[in-house]
Amino acid sequence: MIGTTDFDVLDALDEFREACQLLGIKGCSGLETRVYVPEFSTRVINSPGEPGISYHMGVGFPSANVFASQRKFLKGLKQTASSETAI
């Protein structure tokens, strides 16, 4: 079994899944993102040297074809991650 994790996007998921099927390998795709938690702005949570930042991960996405409400959320993550003002 092999896996892939994208940061703030699911861009690799479909191509990765197709490659796994072609090779007969089980695969698992995930997404990692980070959030700022104002209540912990003076504490390091799980991102060394970045007080108030917490990393979160979702695993086991079957497809990048998600519901419209999720597409809007993912688009927002991608825009934030690619902006110059990202945390």
Side-chain angles (χ1 to χ4, degrees):
M1 177 169 216
I2 59 175
T4 185
T5 300
D6 278 324
F7 192 79
D8 289 332
V9 295
L10 292 174
D11 292 353
L13 193 155
D14 290 330
E15 183 179 358
F16 176 74
R17 189 166 178 236
E18 288 175 22
C20 288
Q21 289 175 346
L22 180 69
L23 297 170
I25 299 171
K26 290 183 181 183
C28 182
S29 292
L31 175 142
E32 178 184 35
T33 192
R34 63 187 189 164
V35 298
Y36 177 67
V37 184
E39 296 83 359
F40 292 99
S41 64
T42 60
R43 299 181 182 157
V44 173
I45 304 169
N46 62 2
S47 182
E50 295 185 294
I53 300 295
S54 178
Y55 278 84
H56 295 270
M57 187 165 185
V59 179
F61 294 94
S63 169
N65 185 20
V66 297
F67 294 114
S69 61
Q70 295 167 339
R71 281 193 300 272
K72 183 178 176 181
F73 180 76
L74 287 173
K75 183 178 179 181
L77 286 178
K78 188 173 188 173
Q79 288 174 337
T80 299
S82 63
S83 75
E84 292 181 22
T85 59
I87 297 175

